[in-house]
Amino acid sequence: MSLGAAGGRLLPCRRWMRAGLCAMLPVVLCSGLQAQGVEGELQEVAERLAAAQRAQLDLISPRNYERASERLADARERHANGSRVEDVLSRLVDARRYLEEAERLRADGERLLGPALRTRATALDEAAPQWVPGAWRNAQETLLDAGRRLESSDPDEAALLAERAAGLFAEAEREAVRVSVLGDAWTARDGATGARAPDLAPAAFGEAVERLTEADRLLATDRSRREEAVSIAASASAGFRRAAILAAITDSVNSRLLSVEQVVARHEAELDAIADALGVEADYSAGTDPAALLLLADIRRLLEERADLGDRLETEQRQSTALRARVDTLEVRLAQLEAREADVAARLRARERREQKIREVAAIFLAEEGEVVATSDRLTLRLTGMTFATGSSEIDPELYPLLTKVQRVLSEFPEAPATIEGHTDSRGNDASNLALSRRRAFAVREYLLANMPISADRLAAVGFGEERPVASNDTADGRARNRRIDVVLVIGS
């Protein structure tokens, strides 16, 4: 910015002369100051300082840049505090002088420090300050030392320091890539080591170590395969975490905190959950492996069916798009809108009837009998009053009136499939609780089938044992609420 020109001519500096400033400033400079004012001068120096930073003069000539920044900050503070104009402007003159000195060194700096500056930019792209802050600080300080040597008219030493800084930045960049790609796997490895996985789960731990080594080798030999290294490192992380879990289980078995039977029961429970989701029942008479293979076959079949449905949907969507393209008259669009409005109105009326029916159903049950929980597509009769004798699945005749209310609800929703769910509290053996909850759920199902006209296909039964509590098992009242029968009806949205 030219400090002496305004509208193509020089302005007089009487005001600055009266202030005594022109005694130390050139007339041309004084004229420019009068035209711009102090605010303009502050802005001009701030913009020039920002441009210097973009040109990396803060690295090429760090002392001059720092002093210019300090003078600008001092000028701003003095201006804000109402100091004399000449005091503010004198700081800006100093700031400009330091910036000019930094700009004078720019060409030599770019020549001598250029490789280090470019390597630094590459390290920044890899977020080296975040991943390897220590290595970054070391390289940054070495580069600043090179700039200071350049300011001290020692180009040979500046070149040596710049070369060293380039190497340090390159190393920081390489290490940043390693940390960003392998860091999570390293953390998982440390966790697995702390869990004694090398001793208790050596095979799983060894496989994870091999994957981590492979990822590190890829980064070191072929950076173009970085995405592959990321994938392998993620696999190593998962492997280390799996090894830690296996080590914990092995340790529990070795310490007799957990039996092999309990481990197998847990595995069966996990397979049962998958089987329930698939709508089948797992058979463990030949062991868990054949049961798992059958479930896997069911899953693959469902995936194939989904893929087939996806293809059909895509075909139908293309056909629908072609049909919509033909609908280009106002009359057809209006008819579509009217039909849509009618459909929405019908759905609203159906929803209102559904909500009214839910309110009527909820009013049937007393508080001690249970509660009705409604979601977007399900209605759950939480029968906390449906109690059984300890270890028994026989229905007490006193509960017949409560089951009569359940029959009424099933009749109110004749199209809704229902599932009888058995639940227990946490006392006792997990496997025993699961089996007991199933017997009780099937007992309720058989009672309902025997006492009302309902299709057996519409009514399912399942036991969850203690895994789905609705209250704390730490209190008698909570355990009583957890010992319950839930009747879940799928009523649609």
Side-chain angles (χ1 to χ4, degrees):
M1 178 184 293
S2 175
L3 300 181
R9 61 188 180 87
L10 297 180
L11 299 177
C13 58
R14 293 190 184 92
R15 174 185 170 200
W16 309 118
M17 292 175 65
R18 285 197 300 269
L21 182 61
C22 286
M24 61 178 178
L25 297 179
V27 173
V28 171
L29 178 58
C30 186
S31 299
L33 295 178
Q34 180 185 14
Q36 296 179 22
V38 176
E39 290 289 349
E41 290 299 302
L42 288 167
Q43 180 63 27
E44 187 270 338
V45 174
E47 292 173 355
R48 188 170 172 183
L49 191 68
Q53 187 176 36
R54 289 193 296 271
Q56 303 190 87
L57 296 184
D58 56 328
L59 303 171
I60 292 173
S61 183
R63 288 197 190 97
N64 286 314
Y65 181 86
E66 181 180 1
R67 289 165 182 167
S69 299
E70 291 172 350
R71 294 302 189 277
L72 175 60
D74 190 12
R76 282 174 168 163
E77 182 178 0
R78 288 175 180 273
H79 180 57
N81 294 334
S83 297
R84 294 187 308 164
V85 171
E86 53 266 34
D87 289 341
V88 176
L89 295 175
S90 67
R91 268 70 182 175
L92 295 180
V93 169
D94 288 343
R96 284 191 180 89
R97 185 172 69 251
Y98 288 126
L99 284 174
E100 289 169 0
E101 181 61 21
E103 289 164 356
R104 184 184 65 80
L105 295 171
R106 178 174 179 175
D108 288 341
E110 290 176 344
R111 177 174 55 83
L112 295 174
L113 278 59
L117 293 171
R118 289 188 290 274
T119 310
R120 177 182 182 273
T122 302
L124 268 178
D125 290 340
E126 295 295 344
Q130 171 190 345
W131 295 114
V132 285
W136 172 264
R137 285 193 298 270
N138 190 22
Q140 182 82 343
E141 189 55 40
T142 302
L143 178 59
L144 291 173
D145 285 342
R148 296 184 189 105
R149 288 291 185 175
L150 182 63
E151 290 176 316
S152 301
S153 301
D154 190 353
D156 294 338
E157 184 64 19
L160 289 175
L161 288 170
E163 182 179 358
R164 186 183 306 166
L168 293 172
F169 279 125
E171 179 61 28
E173 183 264 341
R174 286 191 294 271
E175 191 60 23
V177 171
R178 290 187 75 226
V179 173
S180 66
V181 174
L182 308 177
D184 184 65
W186 290 340
T187 301
R189 179 191 59 190
D190 293 342
T193 302
R196 297 192 297 149
D199 298 326
L200 299 176
F205 186 85
E207 290 175 3
V209 169
E210 290 177 2
R211 288 194 289 270
L212 177 58
T213 302
E214 173 65 10
D216 201 2
R217 184 191 65 78
L218 276 180
L219 290 178
T221 58
D222 190 351
R223 293 284 288 277
S224 67
R225 299 173 68 183
R226 177 171 177 170
E227 291 303 318
E228 184 180 351
V230 169
S231 177
I232 296 173
S235 175
S237 297
F240 283 125
R241 294 187 177 94
R242 174 175 175 270
I245 293 172
L246 291 175
I249 294 173
T250 303
D251 188 43
S252 296
V253 172
N254 292 342
S255 304
R256 297 189 177 181
L257 299 175
L258 191 67
S259 68
V260 173
E261 183 180 4
Q262 288 174 313
V263 173
V264 174
R266 288 183 181 180
H267 182 42
E268 290 178 348
E270 292 168 352
L271 293 177
D272 282 336
I274 298 173
D276 288 341
L278 294 172
V280 299
E281 186 172 350
D283 180 8
Y284 304 116
S285 58
T288 57
D289 287 348
L293 290 175
L294 288 174
L295 293 176
L296 181 60
D298 282 341
I299 292 172
R300 286 173 175 164
R301 174 181 54 79
L302 290 174
L303 290 174
E304 291 173 357
E305 291 177 357
R306 186 177 70 172
D308 181 59
L309 289 173
D311 292 340
R312 290 167 55 188
L313 177 61
E314 185 178 354
T315 300
E316 291 176 0
Q317 286 175 336
R318 286 197 299 268
Q319 294 173 348
S320 176
T321 300
L323 288 174
R324 283 198 300 269
R326 300 172 189 171
V327 183
D328 56 359
T329 65
L330 183 59
E331 290 79 10
V332 174
R333 293 177 184 173
L334 180 59
Q336 289 177 333
L337 178 60
E338 290 173 347
R340 195 175 305 157
E341 289 176 347
D343 180 63
V344 170
R347 278 188 283 174
L348 286 175
R349 289 193 297 271
R351 183 179 298 176
E352 290 172 356
R353 289 194 298 269
R354 173 176 171 272
E355 291 176 353
Q356 176 62 30
K357 189 180 291 186
I358 291 173
R359 288 193 292 270
E360 293 171 357
V361 166
I364 296 175
F365 296 91
L366 300 176
E368 60 268 25
E369 293 175 329
E371 61 179 335
V372 176
V373 180
T375 60
S376 61
D377 62 344
R378 280 171 169 74
L379 184 67
T380 300
L381 311 181
R382 183 155 293 157
L383 306 179
T384 53
M386 188 75 194
T387 58
F388 296 82
T390 301
S392 172
S393 60
E394 184 175 350
I395 300 175
D396 193 315
E398 293 182 356
L399 298 175
Y400 291 168
L402 176 56
L403 291 175
T404 299
K405 294 181 179 182
V406 174
Q407 295 173 42
R408 178 178 170 185
V409 175
L410 292 172
S411 299
E412 287 291 333
F413 297 91
E415 303 299 325
T419 300
I420 312 300
E421 297 181 354
H423 302 272
T424 68
D425 60 27
S426 63
R427 294 182 301 178
N429 179 271
D430 292 351
S432 298
N433 284 340
L434 183 62
L436 180 61
S437 67
R438 288 176 176 170
R439 293 198 301 274
R440 290 174 175 175
F442 277 96
V444 173
R445 178 180 183 271
E446 293 303 317
Y447 177 90
L448 294 173
L449 290 174
N451 289 275
M452 67 177 296
I454 185 171
S455 169
D457 293 337
R458 184 186 159 200
L459 202 59
V462 64
F464 292 105
E466 61 187 72
E467 69 181 49
R468 295 188 179 182
V470 294
S472 171
N473 279 304
D474 295 332
T475 65
D477 181 67
R479 291 191 294 274
R481 285 177 54 79
N482 290 333
R483 296 191 299 272
R484 69 192 190 280
I485 291 291
D486 284 353
V487 181
V488 183
L489 291 82
V490 181
I491 59 177
S493 57

